[in-house]
């Protein structure tokens, strides 16, 4: 092991850490950590260069900024913020206990595999997923396969779940830019609103045998209402946007009058 | 020159030459005892840092600095939903641990007869002191947590808080909301009543419908293609052992990233 390091380079003495004669105390010729990092190659070198750049960028941004640090910028964490948080926590826990005391759960009869109940439902937060399982009517039967379906209805429903969750997951990579408020981005607010409406309508579809209307109408409404909701949201936000931008500009120019 | 090693760091002598109150003396004795064994001094910097962090003054938020409170006050309660779901999670964990003392995940018995699991729930609800209340609190905190998590996601969506640099946290949030629903589902099955049994049947059928890996998933999660003792046992272990560790860890990462990046305030 020591022979290897000695033969392959003549600056082996500068790399004595952990090899050779043992740990050597640093002298003037011992490279500093930043020098060592500068001498590296490949990915390590690339990492070092990138971090140096980003540190410099950070420094530049800080120097350009007009932000002034003041002595007291807000309330101290302890005790002010903590006492406020404690009050909020007590309130919320109290709310849960109040709900638990006033609306206790009940227990169904014991499990019986030979007696199917009239209504089978998961908990409310899975209704949307349960509704997606009943989308078999959208599963196309291909004439190419002689009227057969490419996949079973229930496979179709499970895949619909994956599609919905997948779409929600990629939203940050579709909607970019600095707009934050719904008025600033009416389209994405409309998409969100139609998503909310769809979650409700698909949940209703999951209990279609309890709804007092024909299945066909219910299925149409399930997909129509989200679009209606989205369009209304879009129209309202577009109308609001005019007045909103006017106010925003007025505030801006009041604070910083044009020269 | 004696052979005896001279102690330059004779802490005991140093302590005696000082005029200390009994409290200070006791404190120092404990501190020295621990320091000799654990070298607390090495971690002093971290402790100091923590001390100052506790006394940190929160920086002015964006809304405070630009005096936007009059414009955004109605958003503020919606910004508490993440904390609220964490809080409900803690309440559910405490009440769940207490319920765990009395619950047994055994599905033995003929169809239609109360199983051991069902009987333990009946015992909790009818005979145990405050048992009904405990189960009620556990159930409601779970419901509240799920509701808060959904609303939290809507708030993040409609305020555009998922945008750069917070995409990663959005993805972690989606994993968390899914695991929350799995948490709820596994808990829903534990009483082993009619609702639980038939919800479980749907679950088995759903996993069997997954292309390619369906049977494997059904075996892994439900312990077979029909509901048996194995299913209940798996749901129990998922609910009280597996998911608590996984979800708590991911919640810690989720909140840690919020801490590092700061709250996406209204603009």
């Amino acid at each position: 092991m020591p022979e290897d390091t000695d033969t392959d380079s003549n600056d082996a003495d500068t790399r004595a850490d952990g090899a050779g004669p043992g740990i050597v105390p640093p002298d003037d010729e011992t490279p500093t950590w930043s020098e060592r990092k500068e001498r590296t190659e490949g990915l390590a070198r690339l990492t070092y260069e990138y971090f140096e750049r980003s540190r410099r960028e950070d420094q530049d941004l800080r120097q350009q900024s007009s932000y002034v640090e003041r002595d007291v910028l807000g309330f101290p964490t302890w005790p002010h913020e903590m006492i406020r948080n404690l009050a909020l926590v007590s309130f919320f826990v109290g709310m849960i206990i109040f709900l638990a005391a006033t609306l206790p759960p009940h227990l169904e009869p014991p499990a019986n595999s030979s007696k199917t109940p009239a209504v089978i439902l998961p908990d409310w937060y899975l209704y949307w997923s349960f509704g997606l399982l009943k989308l078999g009517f959208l599963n196309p039967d291909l004439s190419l396969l002689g009227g057969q379906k490419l996949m079973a209805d229930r496979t179709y429903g499970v895949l619909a779940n994956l599609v919905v969750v997948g779409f929600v997951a990629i939203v940050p990579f579709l909607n970019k830019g600095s707009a934050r408020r719904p008025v600033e981005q009416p389209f994405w607010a409309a998409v969100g609103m139609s998503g909310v409406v769809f979650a409700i309508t698909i949940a209703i579809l999951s209990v279609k045998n309890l709804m007092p209307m024909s299945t066909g109408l219910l299925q149409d409404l399930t997909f129509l209402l989200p679009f209606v909701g989205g369009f209304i949201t879009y129209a309202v936000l577009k109308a609001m946007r005019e007045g909103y931008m006017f106010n925003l500009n007025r505030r801006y120019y009041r604070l910083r009058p044009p020269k | 020159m004696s052979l005896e090693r001279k102690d330059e760091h004779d802490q005991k002598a140093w302590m005696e030459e000082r005029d200390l109150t009994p409290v200070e003396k006791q404190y120092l004795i404990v501190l020295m005892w621990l320091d000799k064994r654990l070298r607390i001094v090495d971690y002093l910097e971290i402790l100091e840092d923590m001390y100052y962090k506790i006394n940190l003054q929160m920086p002015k938020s964006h809304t405070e600095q630009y005096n936007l409170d009059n414009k955004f006050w109605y958003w503020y309660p919606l910004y508490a939903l993440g904390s609220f779901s964490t809080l409900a999670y803690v309440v559910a964990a405490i009440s769940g641990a207490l319920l765990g003392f009395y619950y047994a995940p055994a599905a033995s018995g003929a169809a239609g007869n109360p199983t051991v699991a069902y009987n333990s729930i009946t015992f909790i609800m009818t005979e145990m002191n405050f048992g009904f209340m405990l189960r009620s609190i556990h159930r409601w905190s779970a419901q509240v947590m799920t509701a808060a998590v959904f609303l939290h996601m809507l708030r993040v969506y409609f305020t555009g808080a998922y945008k750069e640099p917070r995409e990663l946290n959005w993805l972690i949030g989606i994993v968390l909301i899914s695991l929350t629903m799995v948490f709820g589902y596994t808990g829903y099955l534990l009483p082993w009543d009619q609702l639980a049994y038939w919800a479980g049947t749907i679950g088995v059928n759903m996993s069997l419908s997954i292309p390619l890996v369906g049977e494997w998933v059904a075996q892994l999660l439900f312990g077979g293609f029909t509901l048996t003792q194995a299913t209940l046992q798996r749901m129990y272990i998922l609910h009280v052992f597996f998911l608590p560790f996984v979800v708590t860890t991911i919640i810690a990462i989720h909140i840690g990233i919020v801490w590092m990046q700061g709250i996406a305030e209204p603009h």
Side-chain angles (χ1 to χ4, degrees), chain B residues 58-115:
Chain B
M58 303 298 277
K60 255 191 181 174
S61 65
H62 177 91
T63 40
E64 276 172 335
Q65 197 171 0
Y66 296 101
N67 203 16
L68 297 170
D69 289 27
N70 54 357
K71 217 165 170 49
F72 292 117
W73 60 268
Y74 52 86
W75 280 111
Y76 291 168
L78 303 178
Y79 278 75
L81 286 166
S83 318
F84 194 13
S85 51
T86 315
L87 199 62
Y89 181 66
V90 172
V91 173
I94 294 169
S95 57
L98 293 176
L99 283 174
F101 291 147
Y102 300 96
Y103 174 79
S108 60
N113 290 328
T115 56

Side-chain angles (χ1 to χ4, degrees), chain A residues 67 73 77 100 103 105 108-109 111-113 115 117 121 123-125 154 168-169 172 175 177 179-182 188, chain B residues 56 60 65 112 118 136 139-140 143 157-160 162-163 170 174 184 188 192-194 197-198 209 265 267:
Chain A
Y67 181 77
L73 291 177
T77 314
L103 298 164
E108 294 276 311
N112 188 349
S113 55
K115 210 174 97 189
L121 276 180
D123 238 353
W124 59 269
Y125 47 81
R154 51 184 211 175
V168 177
N175 178 19
R180 280 285 185 74
R181 295 184 226 177
W188 281 97
Chain B
L56 198 74
K60 255 191 181 174
Q65 197 171 0
Y118 188 87
S136 193
R139 196 183 147 77
W140 270 108
Q143 306 278 319
Y157 181 86
F158 283 108
T159 56
Y162 52 80
K163 290 187 172 182
W170 173 261
I174 284 170
Y188 194 68
W192 214 242
D193 56 0
Q194 276 288 69
Y197 187 85
W198 292 97
S209 310
E265 290 186 63
H267 280 265

